[in-house]
Amino acid sequence: MSKTSSSPTAEKRGFFARIMMFLRQVIDEMRKVVTPTRQELIKMTGVVLVFVIIVIGLVSLLDWLFGMGASWVFGSSDGL
């Protein structure tokens, strides 16, 4: 079998060279980021808010149902 460049004996980069390579890669990736337009931002914010309201309603409903069930099982006298 022949040795490849990924073998453990291959020359490794120094500590600072690896940090610089990482920073270069971060900068390259940040250049690819596209900032949403105002219209897109408003639309996405609306979607998130509607989703959060739906989840709040679902959790509240489940809390109420489980509370009623616990009152029924354990015979709470406060009547919820």
Side-chain angles (χ1 to χ4, degrees):
M1 301 248 168
S2 65
K3 291 187 178 185
T4 61
S5 63
S6 63
S7 69
T9 59
E11 182 180 335
K12 294 190 176 192
R13 295 179 187 249
F15 178 73
F16 292 108
R18 287 184 290 174
I19 290 175
M20 289 306 296
M21 183 176 70
F22 172 75
L23 292 175
R24 262 186 258 119
Q25 289 174 348
V26 168
I27 291 170
D28 288 341
E29 289 299 319
M30 290 302 292
R31 286 186 181 138
K32 296 178 187 177
V33 173
V34 178
T35 304
T37 64
R38 184 172 182 86
Q39 192 77 6
E40 291 171 334
L41 187 62
I42 291 170
K43 183 179 178 182
M44 288 186 275
T45 302
V47 168
V48 169
L49 290 175
V50 168
F51 177 76
V52 168
I53 289 170
I54 290 171
V55 170
I56 288 172
L58 179 65
V59 170
S60 298
L61 176 67
L62 290 173
D63 178 51
W64 181 75
L65 288 174
F66 286 132
M68 292 297 285
S71 295
W72 180 73
V73 169
F74 297 112
S76 175
S77 63
D78 62 0
L80 287 173

